[in-house]
């Protein structure tokens, strides 16, 4: 038996929502798990990008062995019903850039769990899968939209359960994802964060996150401009993303732009704007990065309303 699951990319944090706000985007990884008949072959993991099978060297952050996130996700699920995975071929068809703050690790965790659950005859319900996935990733902000789609606010409670609510993104607000050619590992981007923050910074983010939710609800552009700010992670990460301060500065007084934030832990940058003048946004970012010899891919995308889905491959 063989099951394939298509999972969207995600952008997390979106300004004030560190570790709790995330949105699915229309770029996808497809994770296929196939039971193989040959005994003793173990678990074989392959990654295909642009139709090419990648080797271990090209994929240093997705180790192709049993320590990989995919293997861990599958193993956790098998273990939860008293079994161990064996004789499986796992293929990741990769369409989400890795280590760019676009949820590629969340997508493989979610895809592997949903596929394994289907192979095993669905022993776990969606909330149980969500909770296992968040446990593996460490926070719910990418995992939840990868699983359920849309713009989502979520928390993981002390008992491990995940609570989430979907929010409606205003149709006339554009999301421009600026993906540089350099990677930034989430581990490094988290290692620069302090363990504790000043109370005034926590209050600043609580205020902005409340405003964010009301701004999307009322489609209030001026409120969103106030809301798309952060003091919990961006000030510490700005030095890790070349050109970010200049890009942010260049949009500060642009009336069409609602905000410019780091996508997840970086290295991508998100520019949120009205739908006019998108070309101007693309060329500004391109110009600043090319001045620093950084190549980039810039896409203006809609929110992906669907989360992980079983597909025919
Ligand atoms: N909220 C996470 C972070 C997203 O900013 O570190 C990346 O996994």
């Amino acid at each position: 038996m063989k099951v394939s699951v298509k999972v969207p990319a995600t952008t997390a944090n979106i300004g004030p929502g560190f570790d709790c706000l995330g949105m699915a985007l229309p770029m996808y990884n497809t994770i296929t798990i196939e039971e193989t008949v040959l005994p003793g072959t173990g678990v074989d993991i392959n990654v295909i990008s642009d139709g090419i099978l990648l080797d271990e060297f090209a994929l240093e952050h997705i180790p192709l062995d049993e320590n990989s996130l995919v293997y861990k996700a599958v193993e956790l699920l098998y273990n939860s019903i008293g079994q161990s995975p064996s004789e499986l071929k796992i293929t990741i068809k990769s369409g989400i850039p890795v280590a760019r703050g676009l949820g590629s690790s969340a997508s493989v965790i979610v895809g592997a769990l949903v596929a394994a659950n289907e192979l095993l005859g669905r022993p776990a319900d969606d909330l149980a899968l969500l909770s296992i996935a968040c446990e593996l990733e460490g926070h719910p902000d990418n995992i939840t939209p990868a699983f359920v789609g849309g713009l989502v606010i979520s928390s993981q409670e002390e008992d491990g359960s995940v609570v989430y609510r979907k929010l409606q993104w205003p149709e006339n607000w554009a999301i421009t994802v600026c993906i540089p050619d350099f990677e930034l590992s989430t581990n490094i981007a988290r290692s620069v964060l302090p363990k504790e923050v000043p109370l005034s910074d926590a209050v600043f983010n609580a205020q902005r996150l409340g405003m964010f939710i009301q701004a999307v609800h009322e489609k209030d552009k001026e409120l969103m401009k106030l809301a798309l700010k952060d003091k919990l992670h961006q000030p510490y990460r700005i030095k890790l993303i070349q050109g970010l301060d200049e890009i942010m500065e260049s949009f500060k007084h642009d009336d069409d732009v609602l905000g410019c934030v780091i996508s997840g832990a970086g290295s991508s940058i998100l520019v949120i704007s009205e739908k006019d003048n998108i070309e101007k946004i693309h060329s500004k970012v391109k110009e600043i990065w090319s001045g620093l010899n950084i190549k980039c891919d810039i896409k203006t995308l809609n929110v992906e309303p669907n989360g992980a889905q079983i597909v025919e491959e």
Side-chain angles (χ1 to χ4, degrees):
M1 191 179 168
K2 169 174 146 179
V3 180
S4 296
V5 180
K6 181 177 162 190
V7 191
T10 49
T11 179
N13 302 328
I14 323 178
F18 179 70
D19 275 3
C20 58
L21 202 56
M23 186 193 311
L25 296 172
M27 288 184 265
Y28 310 91
N29 280 345
T30 303
I31 293 87
T32 300
I33 308 188
E34 194 172 353
E35 288 169 323
T36 54
V37 279
L38 290 177
T41 47
V43 177
D44 177 28
I45 301 175
N46 300 284
V47 182
I48 297 172
S49 179
D50 286 335
I52 300 165
L53 183 66
L54 301 186
D55 60 19
E56 196 154 356
F57 178 72
L59 278 167
E60 53 202 36
H61 26 256
I62 307 181
L64 303 184
D65 59 24
E66 300 186 353
N67 292 322
S68 74
L69 279 175
V70 190
Y71 181 80
K72 278 192 190 144
V74 172
E75 187 183 39
L76 264 177
L77 192 70
Y78 273 73
N79 290 171
S80 73
I81 56 161
Q83 293 187 25
S84 301
S86 62
E87 280 75 56
L88 294 178
K89 180 175 178 191
I90 304 177
T91 307
I92 303 166
K93 203 154 100 198
S94 160
I96 304 175
V98 173
R100 301 301 205 293
L102 293 170
S104 74
S105 65
S107 84
V108 294
I109 292 172
V110 167
L113 281 173
V114 173
N117 194 48
E118 193 67 18
L119 273 183
L120 290 170
R122 299 194 198 164
D125 63 17
D126 284 355
L127 281 177
L129 290 178
L130 197 50
S131 155
I132 297 173
C134 289
E135 209 56 56
L136 269 169
E137 170 99 332
H139 33 85
D141 50 346
N142 284 305
I143 292 284
T144 316
F147 209 108
V148 302
L151 169 65
V152 192
I153 178 115
S154 50
S155 70
Q156 190 165 27
E157 302 301 302
E158 278 177 10
D159 64 359
S161 63
V162 176
V163 177
Y164 72 87
R165 291 292 181 273
K166 281 195 174 187
L167 308 169
Q168 199 61 43
W169 184 255
E171 261 178 33
N172 56 338
W173 291 357
I175 303 151
T176 299
V177 185
C178 312
I179 311 168
D181 63 358
F182 60 88
E183 299 183 353
L184 177 54
S185 95
T186 301
N187 285 346
I188 293 175
R190 287 185 88 84
S191 74
V192 301
L193 304 181
K195 294 276 169 285
E196 289 173 5
V197 294
L199 181 62
S200 57
D201 289 355
V203 169
F204 180 94
N205 269 59
Q207 292 165 335
R208 268 69 199 169
L209 185 55
M211 289 179 196
F212 182 107
I213 292 174
Q214 194 62 5
V216 293
H217 188 60
E218 293 181 354
K219 306 178 178 50
D220 183 335
K221 171 182 158 187
E222 294 309 319
L223 192 62
M224 195 62 166
K225 284 187 179 177
L226 280 178
L228 285 170
K229 306 240 166 29
D230 162 76
K231 287 197 177 182
L232 295 184
H233 77 110
Q234 294 192 162
Y236 308 99
R237 289 171 164 170
I238 207 157
K239 58 181 180 289
L240 301 177
I241 303 173
Q242 258 186 297
L244 174 60
D245 47 356
E246 220 180 307
I247 291 170
M248 280 179 157
E249 190 57 38
S250 79
F251 289 123
K252 228 176 191 165
H253 306 292
D254 192 327
D255 194 49
D256 297 328
V257 173
L258 279 56
C260 173
V261 296
I262 301 176
S263 177
S267 55
S268 299
I269 297 174
L270 218 58
V271 183
I272 293 166
S273 67
E274 294 196 290
K275 284 197 167 157
D276 320 315
N277 295 321
I278 297 295
E279 279 316 311
K280 192 178 72 186
I281 292 173
H282 286 222
S283 55
K284 250 190 196 178
V285 176
K286 263 196 188 124
E287 191 186 317
I288 293 172
W289 266 340
S290 74
L292 296 165
N293 277 326
I294 296 167
K295 293 197 185 74
C296 58
D297 184 15
I298 302 182
K299 308 167 190 282
T300 296
L301 303 170
N302 290 318
V303 181
E304 166 57 70
N306 297 306
Q309 282 179 314
I310 295 178
V311 290
E312 292 292 325
E313 268 292 295

